[in-house]
């Protein structure tokens, strides 16, 4: 029982990070139909900026989070403006190549500045052991889940209630019709990239707090694919649930079956899902009126 | 209010679609723009609303003025902000958004957020059926309801001029009548000027104050609906009326091209 709770909790933590990364991925895909292979590098950038501000400059962690989010937003906007926008109208395969290129570039820039050594992250989140239902867990995991949950709820509200959020979904649905409504498609694309970079950066901070800062963080980007395919490429609740499911699955297989299997299990799930539900759990099927 | 002077539109740098199109829409009126498929009606509307660019089209000559200012170089979002709203052909509702979210998307350019709620109610009084389906995905509405939603979405932007591109497309005759009634009511009650593009000439002439007939990228005939209804060619080619009792042979139909005496 103790082990089960432990695994559940670390699964949820991982799942929360995956959900944040996947949320950004889904956002970009939804708004602009671009499959962003550089999503993992957004996590990396987030982790290192936080490390630089809190670990190297020694500022307070709240400032760190604010600065990280701002840097991520700026990065997202710049990438959209100068890399993605000139590519509008190009074939999808070129866009994919561009994002793959971006991922290498970002990784190289990060290791160029901070080197490739693994560093200890200035743990700003207290990691005291506490007792939850008889299992001993560290509070940093609980915090990670809480932070992720707050952001996920906030984004969900943004998409359902705010007019900018609705405009983003409108663009995802029918670009030309959105244009005729006076919605600026360019602005929506820029917004999608910056929000996406920001959520991923938060995910990066959380994961660095648990694992330490190193280039491996961008590997999470690869796990985003099974998550979004499980949840549905264009579904925000799907990204969240997919993240949690994959996170838990990994934790349980790692704990009960064996450590080697837990990095493969997401991809086994991916294949199974594609066979049964090609749109994912919540993916938009093409609405056909009868 | 809106005037087009000798507008020329070219797609993909080679395809000349509008060849000197001129048109006048006075404030507070319903103006109908009639014509066969491919005459350039939709292109005219897109030229006004700034939606040509995504289709690689361009206004290459002439000018479009709205309230005395040229607008043919503005991007679509600025045209909407100035008060021109196009209801696109084929309804184009946001299928995965629910009815209310579609309406809110229509109000995107509004700066007076506090009045949006009141206008939602206003749209619901015009289209009570939309209120019943408020939380439903727009993709699952019937064709008529989608058209209502498309018009309602236009109302949410509080435009001075609404351009309707074939609101009768694919709807049952009874529904078409209902929609046209509402268009007329909107014009009278909200004072919204309307530019109506239609294939259904009979209905359009019923509610319009003035009508233009378009062929091959330019206006070939215009006048009050009553005058147009009396015109023999309009009667034959657009209203499908011939003198009762007379037999029609294929030969007469073949005369179609020759009989169009207004063609240059």
């Amino acid at each position: 029982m103790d082990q089960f709770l432990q695994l559940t909790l670390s699964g949820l933590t991982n799942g929360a990070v995956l959900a944040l990364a996947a949320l950004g991925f889904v956002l970009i895909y939804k708004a602009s139909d671009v499959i962003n292979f550089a999503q993992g590098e957004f996590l990396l950038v987030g982790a290192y900026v936080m490390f630089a501000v809190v670990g190297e400059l020694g500022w307070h962690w709240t400032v760190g989070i604010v600065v990280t989010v701002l840097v991520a937003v700026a990065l997202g906007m710049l990438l959209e403006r100068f890399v993605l926008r000139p590519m509008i109208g190009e074939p999808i395969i070129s866009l994919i190549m561009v994002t793959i290129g971006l991922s290498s570039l970002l990784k190289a820039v990060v290791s160029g500045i901070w080197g490739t050594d693994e560093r200890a992250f200035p743990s700003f989140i207290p990691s005291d052991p506490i007792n939850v239902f008889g299992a001993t867990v560290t509070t940093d995991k609980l915090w990670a889940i809480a932070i992720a949950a707050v952001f996920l709820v906030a984004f969900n509200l943004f998409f359902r209630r705010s007019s900018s959020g609705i405009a983003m979904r409108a663009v995802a649905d029918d670009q030309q019709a959105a244009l005729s409504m006076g919605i600026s498609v360019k602005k929506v694309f820029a917004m999608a990239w910056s929000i996406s970079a920001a959520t991923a950066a938060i995910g990066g901070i959380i994961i660095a707090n648990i694992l330490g800062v190193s280039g491996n963080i961008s590997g999470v980007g690869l796990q985003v694919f099974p998550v979004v395919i499980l949840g549905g490429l264009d579904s925000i609740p799907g990204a969240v649930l997919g993240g949690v499911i994959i996170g838990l699955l990994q934790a349980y297989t790692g704990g009960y079956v064996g450590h080697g299997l837990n990095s493969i299990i997401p991809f086994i799930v991916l294949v199974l899902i594609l066979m049964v539900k090609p749109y994912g759990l919540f993916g938009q099927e093409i609405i056909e009126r009868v | 209010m809106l005037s087009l002077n000798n507008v020329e539109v070219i797609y993909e740098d080679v395809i000349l679609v509008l060849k000197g199109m001129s048109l006048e829409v006075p404030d507070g009126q319903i103006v109908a723009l009639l014509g066969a498929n491919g005459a350039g009606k939709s292109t005219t509307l897109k030229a006004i609303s700034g939606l040509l660019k995504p289709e690689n089209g361009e206004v290459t000559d002439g000018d479009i003025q709205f309230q005395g200012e040229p607008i043919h170089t503005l991007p679509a979002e600025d045209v909407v902000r100035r008060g021109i709203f196009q209801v696109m052909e084929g309804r184009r509702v946001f299928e995965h958004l629910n009815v209310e979210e579609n309406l809110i998307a229509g109000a995107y350019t509004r700066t007076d957020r506090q009045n949006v709620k009141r206008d939602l109610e206003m749209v619901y009084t015009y289209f009570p059926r939309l209120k019943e389906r408020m939380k439903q995905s727009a993709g699952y509405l019937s064709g008529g309801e989608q058209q209502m939603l498309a018009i309602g979405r236009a109302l949410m932007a509080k435009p001075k001029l609404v351009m309707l591109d074939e609101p009768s497309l694919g709807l049952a005759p009874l529904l078409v009548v209902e929609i046209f009634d509402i268009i007329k009511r909107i014009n009278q009650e909200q004072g919204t000027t309307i530019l109506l593009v239609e294939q259904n000439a009979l209905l359009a002439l019923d509610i319009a104050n003035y009508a233009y007939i378009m062929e091959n990228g330019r206006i070939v005939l215009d006048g009050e609906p009553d005058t147009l209804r009396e015109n023999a060619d309009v009667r034959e080619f657009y209203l499908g009326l011939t003198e009762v009792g007379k037999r029609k042979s294929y030969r007469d139909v073949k005369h179609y091209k020759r009989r169009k005496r207004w063609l240059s």
Side-chain angles (χ1 to χ4, degrees):
Chain A
M1 191 61 203
D2 186 55
Q3 194 195 4
F4 177 76
L5 271 175
Q6 293 269 13
L7 290 174
T8 306
L9 214 59
S10 59
L12 281 178
T13 319
N14 261 333
V17 173
L18 283 176
L20 280 169
L23 179 76
F25 182 92
V26 166
L27 249 175
I28 290 177
Y29 180 77
K30 233 173 127 75
S32 58
D33 276 340
V34 174
I35 295 174
N36 181 22
F37 279 83
Q39 199 66 27
E41 279 65 32
F42 283 162
L43 279 96
L44 189 70
V45 170
Y48 270 99
V49 171
M50 184 73 177
F51 168 73
V53 174
V54 179
E56 292 181 334
L57 296 176
W59 292 355
H60 194 253
W61 62 271
T62 44
V63 183
I65 288 189
V66 173
V67 172
T68 310
V69 168
L70 287 181
V71 168
V73 165
L75 177 72
M77 262 191 227
L78 282 175
L79 289 181
E80 193 278 331
R81 178 67 191 81
F82 293 106
V83 182
L84 275 307
R85 198 179 297 173
M87 296 294 292
I88 287 178
E90 300 295 325
I92 196 82
I93 193 81
S94 321
L95 280 166
I96 291 176
M97 293 310 293
V98 164
T99 62
I100 291 176
L102 264 182
S103 102
S104 305
L105 181 77
L106 288 175
K107 217 182 294 182
V109 168
V110 166
S111 54
I113 298 176
W114 286 284
T116 48
D117 298 335
E118 191 170 329
R119 319 270 193 108
F121 197 68
S123 54
F124 60 93
I125 303 172
S127 63
D128 316 312
I130 56 160
N131 208 329
V132 183
F133 304 117
T136 316
V137 294
T138 48
T139 45
D140 58 345
K141 288 192 173 156
L142 294 179
W143 274 106
I145 295 169
I147 292 173
V150 165
F151 274 93
L152 294 173
V153 169
F155 280 112
N156 202 31
L157 280 178
F158 169 76
F159 284 114
R160 303 248 153 240
R161 299 263 182 272
S162 80
S163 98
S164 303
I166 290 175
M168 282 181 85
R169 286 164 59 215
V171 168
D173 228 43
D174 186 336
Q175 253 180 50
Q176 212 189 7
L179 214 60
S180 83
M181 227 109 297
I183 296 170
S184 165
V185 174
K186 286 178 202 158
K187 219 190 267 170
V188 164
F189 282 5
M191 212 151 67
W193 277 86
S194 44
I195 293 179
S196 170
T199 52
I202 300 283
I205 294 175
I206 295 174
I207 202 162
N209 191 63
I210 296 165
L211 298 178
V213 202
S214 77
N216 297 334
I217 287 174
S218 62
V220 176
L222 214 59
Q223 290 172 11
V224 165
F225 288 98
V227 169
V228 291
I229 287 168
L230 172 64
L233 268 175
D234 44 17
S235 161
I236 290 160
V240 176
L241 198 68
V244 171
I245 291 175
I246 297 281
L248 285 175
L249 266 177
Q250 279 184 320
Y252 293 146
T253 38
Y256 292 123
V257 186
H259 215 70
L261 201 63
N262 64 345
S263 49
I264 305 170
I265 200 76
F267 295 95
I268 296 173
V269 172
L270 184 149
V271 171
L272 290 177
I273 288 293
L274 281 179
M275 280 178 356
V276 188
K277 279 195 78 113
Y279 291 109
L281 294 178
F282 298 100
Q284 280 179 356
E285 297 183 30
I286 293 158
I287 291 183
E288 200 173 332
R289 294 189 303 125
V290 282
Chain B
M1 182 182 219
L2 176 80
S3 68
L4 278 72
N5 307 308
N6 263 316
V7 172
E8 194 178 87
V9 167
I10 295 182
Y11 282 109
E12 313 269 359
D13 291 327
V14 281
I15 309 161
L16 180 63
V17 177
L18 293 191
K19 310 162 180 171
M21 168 86 187
S22 296
L23 177 119
E24 195 79 41
V25 183
D27 199 358
Q29 302 219 318
I30 300 181
V31 172
L33 179 59
L34 313 174
N37 287 330
K41 306 182 299 288
S42 297
T43 300
T44 307
L45 294 196
K46 284 177 189 158
I48 298 167
S49 58
L51 290 177
L52 281 180
K53 210 172 251 161
E55 301 184 344
N56 274 327
E58 201 188 348
V59 177
T60 49
D61 200 13
D63 65 291
I64 301 171
Q65 304 226 338
F66 183 64
Q67 297 182 315
E69 284 172 65
I71 56 164
H72 52 280
T73 49
L74 296 178
E77 61 220 68
D78 291 348
V79 175
V80 177
R81 268 175 226 283
R82 282 181 190 226
I84 300 181
F85 198 101
Q86 179 179 1
V87 177
M88 291 171 74
E89 183 175 358
R91 313 187 276 268
R92 305 288 285 266
V93 296
F94 301 121
E95 293 186 339
H96 297 98
L97 272 61
N98 67 32
V99 168
E100 190 144 313
E101 287 166 343
N102 263 276
L103 293 173
I104 290 170
Y108 181 76
T109 50
R110 292 274 293 274
T111 42
D112 50 335
R113 293 261 145 242
Q114 64 278 15
N115 294 332
V116 167
K117 226 181 181 96
R118 196 196 60 209
D119 289 337
L120 270 175
E121 284 310 312
M122 183 259 294
V123 170
Y124 289 146
T125 51
Y126 279 113
F127 305 105
R129 239 182 297 177
L130 293 184
K131 185 159 192 169
E132 291 163 27
R133 303 187 180 257
M134 218 156 78
K135 296 289 171 208
Q136 212 168 47
S137 281
Y140 291 116
L141 297 181
S142 75
E145 288 159 351
Q146 288 190 346
Q147 188 64 58
M148 293 174 187
L149 182 55
I151 296 175
R153 208 162 54 170
L155 288 179
M156 292 303 292
K158 283 255 155 201
K160 301 184 183 102
L161 169 69
V162 173
M163 305 193 290
L164 296 161
D165 198 349
E166 296 209 23
S168 71
L169 188 79
L171 301 186
L174 221 61
L175 255 174
V176 175
V177 173
E178 190 183 333
I179 295 226
F180 272 62
D181 271 348
I182 292 172
I183 294 172
K184 194 162 184 169
R185 268 181 59 203
I186 289 169
N187 168 255
Q188 286 165 349
E189 296 168 12
Q190 310 287 326
T192 315
T193 311
I194 287 167
L195 176 55
L196 176 65
V197 160
E198 256 301 333
Q199 301 254 9
N200 190 336
L202 203 60
L203 270 169
L205 286 178
D206 260 353
I207 65 165
N209 303 101
Y210 200 82
Y212 289 86
I213 292 177
M214 196 174 178
E215 242 166 60
N216 246 319
R218 58 169 73 89
I219 298 294
V220 288
L221 199 67
D222 64 292
E224 312 267 327
D226 290 334
T227 337
L228 287 182
R229 256 192 293 252
E230 295 309 311
N231 183 299
D233 290 331
V234 175
R235 285 178 75 84
E236 178 155 359
F237 300 135
Y238 289 96
L239 304 178
L241 304 169
T242 43
E243 285 161 61
V244 185
K246 231 180 119 189
R247 270 185 69 184
K248 269 207 88 131
S249 76
Y250 181 60
R251 244 179 99 109
D252 296 331
V253 181
K254 265 176 70 179
H255 282 174
Y256 172 72
K257 274 257 143 68
R258 225 183 311 155
R259 285 261 341 254
K260 274 192 202 166
R261 58 186 74 131
W262 59 67
L263 262 181
S264 48

